[in-house]
Amino acid sequence: MRTSNIVALGFALILFSLPGAVLAKGNAENGKKIVESRSLGNCAACHVVPGMEFPGDVGPDLAKSMEGYTERDRDTVRQWVWDARQFNPDTIMPPFGPNKLLTKEQVDDVVEYLFSIKKKN
Amino acid sequence: MSRFSRAFVLLACAGVLTAGAWKYSFAGEEAAPRIKEYTPNISSQEYEKRYNAVYGKSTEKMAEEGNPADFMLDDGKDLFGKAEGSAGKSCASCHGANGEKLKGVAATFPKYDPAINGINTVALQINRCRQEHMGAAPLKYETYDQLALELYVKSLSNGVPIKVSIDGPAKPFYEAGKAYYYKRHGQFNFSCAICHVKYAGHMMRANLLSSNRHHADHWPAYRLDWGAAGSFQKRFRGCNKNVRQEVLPFQCETYRDLELYLTYQANGLPIQVPGFKM
């Protein structure tokens, strides 16, 4: 048990430190569902999200934000969704990863979706 | 690192952590200044403007239809005059047939009370009167009769500017309320303050985040969302639940401290009960 945990942790550490390009690609279609779902991402509570009615204006327009990121920034975008406190310790944005609001795979899917709305705009 | 030294580091960390927790729980006043209060995001006037822009139509319609809690207020007046308990007394026996002696009193609540070494609220005081002076059982919080009485007692201060004190012995309880208001907790890691101070006036989905300056002046209130009247503390529980935080019991110490903190933010505003909210 112990050792396997440590091995898993090691793997996770290696994974996170790899450059963005090697990170697992998610599923944009699934990501869209997570972003729009009230019980999962609920991102429109705070952000303008393409196609969502009555969005909040607490955070920036996500399509606009994505204009500022290229494929090389995939890891940065992922870290924003995983735990925005890394960029702003007093952020209102929930720490989706650490607080188990979304799984690793779900975060990958959300990131894939974010890059897909970038292409469309 | 050897197994032993690793265990030692872990123990040391645990020691530092518990020492931290100890300090926090026993030195409320000392811990308090660490809170960096947010400057409110918008002025009262600007908030009103936005409120009218977002909800104007519904508010007009609600005003036309009238507040359903007005009936509760009438029932509260009747209960005020009704003798209950072994002493054969009613509230009116001590406070005047029409509550004359309680005019303006609710505007000074919540307040520090040495008898309970804590913060006394109107709801708590009603139950203390029942137990100590009437020989009657306390009313269960949020039941119809309990709310009706609280509503009537507060209505005796309608139009009177809120004037709560946080001086002297009240201060640490005020600071505890503030600490709770600013504490990040629950699965979303929100604090009350981040929504109702830092982002007040912003839209969170279709909701205009309200400014906490205006939270304390209109409870108990009728809420369409509840389809019933409820207390200020019931509203705390609603937000706790919505943002996946622990929901606390009515009139517990934390909610009474929180009520003091929020009522102080409303100092100077006239009491207007029953409120009527979406």
Side-chain angles (χ1 to χ4, degrees), chain A residues 5-80:
Chain A
N5 270 348
I6 292 169
V7 171
L9 197 82
F11 260 115
L13 280 177
I14 292 167
L15 251 179
F16 282 119
S17 51
L18 284 178
V22 195
L23 279 174
K25 284 236 172 180
N27 175 327
E29 200 48 37
N30 201 31
K32 181 172 160 47
K33 282 191 200 127
I34 295 163
V35 165
E36 293 180 354
S37 152
R38 259 173 207 270
S39 57
L40 291 170
N42 199 15
C43 311
C46 297
H47 294 281
V48 173
V49 173
M52 294 290 286
E53 278 194 328
F54 305 116
D57 63 5
V58 169
D61 178 327
L62 284 181
K64 278 203 193 115
S65 281
M66 288 310 292
E67 284 172 18
Y69 294 110
T70 69
E71 238 349 281
R72 291 221 315 268
D73 306 313
R74 184 172 277 265
D75 193 44
T76 305
V77 174
R78 191 183 188 286
Q79 294 307 328
W80 264 109

Side-chain angles (χ1 to χ4, degrees), chain B residues 72-149:
Chain B
M72 183 181 245
L73 188 57
D74 296 339
D75 293 335
K77 188 172 190 316
D78 290 345
L79 285 167
F80 192 84
K82 191 174 145 207
E84 276 198 60
S86 55
K89 285 186 190 159
S90 70
C91 313
S93 317
C94 293
H95 302 293
N98 295 307
E100 302 83 75
K101 292 181 189 153
L102 290 181
K103 288 219 184 312
V105 169
T108 64
F109 273 74
K111 61 165 70 145
Y112 174 78
D113 186 331
I116 57 169
N117 186 29
I119 297 306
N120 196 16
T121 59
V122 171
L124 190 64
Q125 183 57 49
I126 291 170
N127 272 341
R128 289 173 65 200
C129 280
R130 286 177 62 88
Q131 289 172 281
E132 291 161 24
H133 306 300
M134 295 162 69
L139 296 167
K140 196 167 180 293
Y141 294 116
E142 298 302 304
T143 55
Y144 187 89
D145 284 5
Q146 187 274 325
L147 280 171
L149 257 180

Side-chain angles (χ1 to χ4, degrees), chain A residues 42 45 56-57 90-92 99, chain B residues 38 184 187 190 202-203 205:
Chain A
N42 199 15
D57 63 5
D90 194 40
T91 186
I92 188 175
N99 282 18
Chain B
Y38 300 130
R184 300 290 197 113
Q187 204 184 3
F190 290 142
H202 278 270
M203 297 300 291
R205 205 65 188 253

